Amino acid sequence: MTDPHAIQPSALDQLPDRDPEETAEWQASLDAVTKAAGPHRAAYLMRRTLERAEGNGIALPKLLETDYVNTIPTAAEPSAPGDQEMERKITAWNRWNAAAMVSRGSKYGVGGHIATFASAAWLYETGFNHFFKGKEADGSGDQLYIQGHASPGIYARAFLDGRLNESHLDNFRRESGGNGLPSYPHPRRLPWLWEFPTVSMGLGPLSAIYQARFNRYLTNRSIKDVSASHVWAFLGDGEMDEPESTAALALASREGLDNLTFVINCNLQRLDGPVRANFKIVQELEAQFRGAGWNVIKTLWGSAWDELFRLDTTGALVRRLREVPDAQVQTYQTRDAAYIRQDFFGKDPALAEMAKLLSDDKILECFHLSRGGHEARKVYAAYKAAVEFKGAPTVILAQTVKGHTLGEGFASKNANHQMKKLTVDEFKTMRDLLELPISDSRFVDGVVPYGHPGADSPEVRYLQERRAALGGPAPARRTHALAPLPAPAEKAFASFDKGSGSQNVATTMAFVRLVKDLVRDKETGKRWVPIVPDEARTFGMESLFPSLGIYSPKGQTYEPVDRDQLMYYKEAKNGQILNEGITEAGSMADFIAASTAYSTHGEAMIPFYIFYSMFGWQRTADQMWQLGDQLGRGFLVGATAGRTTLTGEGLQHADGHSPVIAATNPAALSYDPAFAYEIATIVKDGLRRMYGEAAPGEDPNVFYYLTVYNEPMPQPAKPSGPGVDEGIVKGLYRFNTAESAGVDVAAANAPRIQLLGSGTAIHWVLQAQKLLAEEWGVASDVWSATSWTELRRDALEADEALLRGEERLPYVRQALQGAEGPVLAVSDYMRQVPDQIAQWVEQDYSSLGADGFGLSDTREAARRHFGVDAQSIVVAALAQLARRGEVKATAVKEARERYGL
């Protein structure tokens, strides 16, 4: 059988050998070493030779794996600064309070996680004491992506430094009383502490990469120099199975993001059991990150292992460590010395001889306790090497024991992720292990006490002094008192009020034209961040390429093929457009970083991310929740929207439901504008609310979702009269009446119906208005429903007010009050989109929509298929009027036959 990893002869044949005799000598030397010293020695020499070649800059394939040992040998470790004993005490208090908080909360059944922080305590404490810059440091300080399940340990540290009290800890995961702590890092729930939501696993590492990249973007565009800021992402080895966790590794290395460090807590366990039971997750991650171009630092073994490595004169120990699967390493952590002697050392005669020199206590110390991630000196060495490394991002693979210091009932147990409490006796054992001065008398009625050395204790003073030296508390989210951005010139918005005349214009193009005007604004233009996932030409944005430039940290190192064209492909180091390639997830991560720059960096940026509507919310809705949690602001634009407008593309490209998904997100203001002037009005109001002067009671921490269409249509002038702008923003206004539309209705007392349409559907509604009048003698008024969702939310708020004894009429009822006849609502989405408002409409209500799967065909055929074209609207309107006895029932049958329905 051919070795798939071997270099095939065909590859070698392509390389001319200028000195076959010398080549033969090298090969003979390798054969001789293999024969005399064995294949392990030969492999060792080859690895060292390849490492030397790589170090000398010789172009060879990189070694993707190294031995299962620490990257930084003990002799090369720098001395950790500070008071190590004091830091040990601080870590002990944090371990205790984290476990006590979760255990005390278990009586309420609210859950919590103990074992994760127990394994990662030193990974955090070393950073807090020596590396993580606070918000008062240069630039904007560091950005910390805390592993979600470790939140109790972060709360415990905030308790120690005085930012939280016992009442807060006792309300962990119980927020409704107003003094509680959210389960995980949730900025919207605890906005002074948490900066980044991370517990939807996989989104933290993805966001951290794009945050580090956005930091460079801000610096390169001279918005703010944040070159001193470092991004730290704390992750679990099980979390790395999420595809988003590794989706942007190549981007980070390609752009040389040495302002980024991943710290992966390799405790070898995920939620149900081992991460790689039959394999080695550390080696797998090392190969993955090295292959992507990252600097990799392995911090696996603690100082107790130093003696074992000194005794390993044959390499047998290193070989054995490399071959033992992770699940067996986990087993060693729970078994006695006799078992380890037999199963680990007994597999190799050289190791069996080594074991004779080791006491049982030494073996248990190594295999039960001594991991690199549990020792401050080892962690400090890794962190120092990471921040000093230039030219690439760094990942630290730190091996730990899940449940460390929590006792034999927790450490390395498969179920420890779900274990929520310790017994009183287990806490007392933990207290003794951690050497904490907590007396038995403080365990009253079986309740575990919190521990605190005192506000003026040496531990607290040390902790606060270290944070002061690093720029203030961490983690922390800053609320900047930013001046409102000046409103762009009115001309940019008013230009849409007159309509497009005889020219047909798609609303996608209208939005792009608006943005082109806004980015020219002298005051705020530079703050716009256009984001697109490799579809700029689809959306007509190529005209922005030469004027704004596409951001690239290298600038443009080549001559573009279209350099002689007016709209050539221009990349620039200070480029404004983020063109991410085919990655909606990466583009959303961009958007999140830009949309929260007002807090992270004290710089208000205005991102707009334009995407195929079908592949925005459907693919990355989880990131929209992350965006809402992180209090992001900006404009999401679903282009080529609707189920019937994207001709010929078919089922998977036909969006009939993005407004449904958007409606589930409380932070998303979802609009389906029909006309260019509506887009201008919505964007203008969005800029006011998010970046200008929000009205009393308005939350500026929202984002807008606008659907725009690729179908060129007439863009009418904005109707005159009061209430139009208000109606556009609130979700509904009367576009015309039968009389103002100029349709000829024969009978003075003709039946009347109210037709509501959103987005592109308004055009079919207008056609139906004309058909109803000219062919059936029915008068209809046409309403533009710019936001079914905002109408519903307003109505829900009115219902809530009523429960409080306050009378308030929902806006949708106010708008339609007195409107004659029934209501028929139409959209290019499934019927539940317009049906959101049904219960608050006084008139008889029915709807039409594009339910079901999309299909490939022309727009006309697709609309007929779904029953939303003008003729279908006419039949539905007649049927509604016939039920009321206002038209003859035979008219419905006649209309179906006439229109071929």
Side-chain angles (χ1 to χ4, degrees):
M1 182 176 179
T2 303
D3 181 357
H5 300 292
I7 299 176
Q8 300 304 307
S10 59
L12 293 175
D13 291 344
Q14 297 180 50
L15 302 176
D17 190 343
R18 294 183 297 179
D19 193 340
E21 186 176 344
E22 182 182 36
T23 302
E25 291 175 0
W26 278 72
Q27 292 172 335
S29 296
L30 181 62
D31 292 343
V33 171
T34 305
K35 183 176 181 180
H40 295 303
R41 177 61 180 170
Y44 175 85
L45 292 176
M46 288 301 299
R47 286 199 302 273
R48 293 297 176 264
T49 301
L50 288 171
E51 287 172 356
R52 174 61 62 88
E54 183 177 330
N56 289 338
I58 299 173
L60 286 172
K62 291 182 178 294
L63 284 173
L64 296 185
E65 289 186 33
T66 60
D67 287 327
Y68 202 69
V69 297
N70 294 349
T71 303
I72 304 173
T74 300
E77 291 171 359
S79 297
D83 186 331
Q84 293 301 297
E85 177 57 22
M86 191 64 69
E87 293 177 19
R88 184 198 65 78
K89 292 179 180 180
I90 292 170
T91 306
W93 286 116
N94 292 340
R95 287 181 182 277
W96 177 271
N97 288 321
M101 178 195 326
V102 177
S103 290
R104 286 167 66 120
S106 65
K107 66 181 179 182
Y108 301 107
V110 294
H113 301 285
I114 303 177
T116 295
F117 177 74
S119 67
W122 275 111
L123 301 179
Y124 290 108
E125 194 59 40
T126 303
F128 284 132
N129 286 325
H130 302 289
F131 292 95
F132 303 158
K133 295 186 287 291
K135 298 302 180 185
E136 303 303 323
D138 292 341
S140 304
D142 287 355
Q143 288 83 53
L144 307 181
Y145 288 77
I146 304 294
Q147 191 179 1
H149 293 134
S151 61
I154 308 305
Y155 289 140
R157 198 173 202 275
F159 169 65
L160 203 64
D161 73 9
R163 293 196 290 165
L164 295 175
N165 57 40
E166 287 193 13
S167 176
H168 289 115
L169 302 193
D170 265 345
N171 285 289
F172 173 60
R173 289 193 169 205
R174 295 192 301 137
E175 299 179 75
S176 59
N179 198 33
L181 300 177
S183 53
Y184 303 123
H186 291 306
R188 187 170 283 274
R189 293 301 186 200
L190 202 62
W192 60 267
L193 180 71
W194 296 122
E195 197 166 18
F196 306 105
T198 55
V199 86
S200 189
M201 286 188 285
L203 300 189
L206 179 68
S207 292
I209 290 173
Y210 281 90
Q211 181 66 57
R213 195 279 196 93
F214 189 74
N215 290 357
R216 291 279 172 85
Y217 173 89
L218 286 179
T219 301
N220 288 337
R221 289 196 55 221
S222 301
I223 300 291
K224 182 178 182 179
D225 184 358
V226 294
S227 54
S229 293
H230 200 87
V231 177
W232 300 82
F234 288 83
L235 319 165
D237 46 0
E239 181 178 5
M240 300 310 294
D241 282 347
E242 288 284 5
E244 296 86 355
S245 296
T246 55
L249 298 187
L251 167 72
S253 62
R254 183 169 67 245
E255 299 203 0
L257 297 180
D258 49 25
N259 60 338
L260 171 67
T261 298
F262 275 18
V263 181
I264 303 181
N265 179 18
C266 297
N267 55 36
L268 313 185
Q269 289 184 253
R270 52 189 176 200
L271 278 60
D272 288 334
V275 179
R276 292 290 184 273
N278 297 296
F279 305 92
K280 301 190 80 63
I281 185 59
V282 168
Q283 300 299 91
E284 179 182 319
L285 291 174
E286 179 184 28
Q288 192 170 16
F289 278 86
R290 282 188 186 277
W294 286 52
N295 175 44
V296 179
I297 299 173
K298 293 196 290 192
T299 303
L300 307 180
W301 307 111
S303 55
W305 283 81
D306 290 348
E307 179 183 346
L308 275 67
F309 287 123
R310 284 195 298 270
L311 294 172
D312 184 29
T313 58
T314 66
L317 176 62
V318 173
R319 290 197 300 272
R320 182 67 178 136
L321 289 173
R322 188 178 177 86
E323 68 189 22
V324 175
D326 284 351
Q328 191 63 24
V329 173
Q330 184 181 340
T331 298
Y332 293 150
Q333 291 166 192
T334 64
R335 302 299 291 269
D336 59 20
Y339 177 88
I340 298 170
R341 285 181 185 277
Q342 177 182 350
D343 192 85
F344 181 83
F345 292 97
K347 301 293 186 180
D348 186 292
L351 289 180
E353 289 299 313
M354 179 191 296
K356 294 177 182 178
L357 304 175
L358 304 174
S359 67
D360 285 355
D361 287 344
K362 182 65 176 181
I363 288 175
L364 293 179
E365 179 187 14
C366 289
F367 283 84
H368 285 193
L369 303 173
S370 186
R371 298 292 183 272
H374 295 322
E375 294 190 11
R377 177 168 174 161
K378 305 286 185 186
V379 176
Y380 178 85
Y383 285 8
K384 186 172 187 291
V387 297
E388 291 177 353
F389 189 87
K390 300 303 176 185
T394 293
V395 59
I396 296 169
L397 304 174
Q399 189 158 283
T400 66
V401 176
K402 192 166 185 176
H404 184 58
T405 73
L406 297 180
E408 294 182 0
F410 260 86
S412 293
K413 299 295 184 183
N414 279 338
N416 61 18
H417 191 80
Q418 306 301 330
M419 297 162 68
K420 312 301 181 188
K421 59 183 178 179
L422 283 73
T423 66
V424 168
D425 286 342
E426 286 172 330
F427 264 109
K428 290 179 179 179
T429 300
M430 179 183 176
R431 171 201 61 189
D432 297 340
L433 175 66
L434 298 175
E435 301 178 2
L436 291 172
I438 300 173
S439 64
D440 286 353
S441 62
R442 294 192 58 199
F443 291 79
V444 179
D445 296 328
V447 177
V448 179
Y450 294 121
H452 200 292
D456 197 40
S457 64
E459 293 95 324
V460 173
R461 287 201 307 271
Y462 180 88
L463 181 156
Q464 293 175 340
E465 288 168 1
R466 292 304 310 140
R467 289 310 316 154
L470 288 166
R477 180 180 181 274
R478 177 178 289 181
T479 302
H480 296 268
L482 297 178
L485 292 183
E490 181 64 25
K491 180 182 178 182
F493 306 104
S495 64
F496 293 91
D497 291 352
K498 61 184 179 181
S500 63
S502 60
Q503 183 183 7
N504 288 343
V505 178
T507 52
T508 300
M509 297 308 300
F511 177 82
V512 171
R513 178 186 149 194
L514 174 63
V515 169
K516 286 174 66 176
D517 290 341
L518 292 175
V519 296
R520 294 193 188 105
D521 187 85
K522 293 181 179 179
E523 295 289 337
T524 60
K526 68 177 183 179
R527 298 192 175 274
W528 283 86
V529 183
I531 303 168
V532 61
D534 200 38
E535 288 282 3
R537 298 183 190 277
T538 301
F539 308 137
M541 291 176 60
E542 65 268 29
S543 61
L544 298 178
F545 289 169
S547 58
L548 301 184
I550 299 165
Y551 173 73
S552 169
K554 290 183 176 293
Q556 193 154 36
T557 61
Y558 61 93
E559 183 177 355
V561 67
D562 54 1
R563 182 64 180 85
D564 296 331
Q565 298 178 17
L566 182 63
M567 293 183 286
Y568 70 96
Y569 196 82
K570 176 187 175 183
E571 296 189 75
K573 190 172 183 179
N574 63 347
Q576 195 163 348
I577 301 170
L578 293 173
N579 190 317
E580 293 303 359
I582 305 174
T583 168
E584 283 84 4
S587 299
M588 265 307 301
D590 265 336
F591 187 90
I592 292 170
S595 70
T596 53
Y598 73 92
S599 172
T600 309
H601 296 299
E603 295 287 344
M605 305 299 288
I606 311 171
F608 82 86
Y609 163 34
I610 187 166
F611 50 87
Y612 263 118
S613 68
M614 187 63 174
F615 302 124
W617 283 91
Q618 175 163 305
R619 236 176 226 210
T620 57
D622 195 12
Q623 287 179 288
M624 275 71 160
W625 279 95
Q626 180 189 14
L627 166 65
D629 193 346
Q630 203 167 316
L631 308 171
R633 306 169 183 174
F635 297 96
L636 298 175
V637 183
T640 60
R643 180 144 280 165
T644 69
T645 63
L646 195 56
T647 55
E649 290 283 1
L651 183 150
Q652 199 171 352
H653 282 64
D655 171 24
H657 54 272
S658 69
V660 179
I661 308 175
T664 66
N665 191 311
L669 277 60
S670 177
Y671 287 89
D672 186 25
F675 305 122
Y677 67 79
E678 292 178 352
I679 292 172
T681 302
I682 294 164
V683 170
K684 178 182 176 181
D685 193 70
L687 290 172
R688 175 200 61 79
R689 177 170 179 170
M690 295 185 292
Y691 300 97
E693 297 282 0
E698 277 187 329
D699 182 5
N701 299 314
V702 295
F703 59 95
Y704 284 66
Y705 176 54
L706 281 71
T707 50
V708 294
Y709 299 86
N710 68 327
E711 184 176 9
M713 299 295 286
Q715 295 299 325
K718 188 176 186 178
S720 59
V724 173
D725 283 0
E726 179 188 27
I728 292 172
V729 172
K730 289 191 172 181
L732 183 69
Y733 70 98
R734 183 152 43 197
F735 175 72
N736 70 24
T737 63
E739 293 74 17
S740 66
V743 296
D744 184 17
V745 181
N749 59 347
R752 186 174 286 265
I753 188 169
Q754 306 299 315
L755 301 177
L756 279 58
S758 68
T760 194
I762 199 82
H763 299 285
W764 327 325
V765 169
L766 289 169
Q767 294 171 31
Q769 180 189 42
K770 186 175 181 181
L771 289 174
L772 281 167
E774 294 178 353
E775 300 186 13
W776 305 99
V778 173
S780 56
D781 302 334
V782 173
W783 300 71
S784 180
T786 54
S787 180
W788 310 100
T789 301
E790 287 307 297
L791 291 173
R792 175 179 175 80
R793 287 176 177 171
D794 171 79
L796 290 172
E797 289 174 5
D799 287 354
E800 292 171 6
L802 188 62
L803 293 175
R804 298 191 299 267
E806 305 169 16
E807 289 287 345
R808 186 169 80 75
L809 204 61
Y811 178 81
V812 64
R813 185 164 293 178
Q814 294 178 45
L816 291 171
Q817 200 165 41
E820 185 182 345
V823 170
L824 175 61
V826 188
S827 87
D828 202 22
Y829 300 93
M830 53 201 309
R831 288 174 60 180
Q832 72 185 78
V833 175
D835 283 352
Q836 291 180 84
I837 66 170
Q839 72 185 81
W840 293 281
V841 175
E842 290 182 309
Q843 294 88 346
D844 292 340
Y845 187 90
S846 65
S847 64
L848 294 175
D851 287 77
F853 288 113
L855 77 165
S856 303
D857 215 314
T858 64
R859 293 180 178 121
E860 294 76 14
R863 286 161 191 167
R864 176 56 59 92
H865 170 81
F866 287 111
V868 292
D869 61 348
Q871 292 77 13
S872 298
I873 295 171
V874 169
V875 172
L878 292 174
Q880 202 171 358
L881 290 167
R883 285 194 296 269
R884 296 162 55 93
E886 297 181 22
V887 301
K888 294 179 180 179
T890 56
V892 181
K893 181 174 184 288
E894 182 184 347
R896 282 201 301 266
E897 292 173 351
R898 181 182 302 182
Y899 300 135
L901 298 175

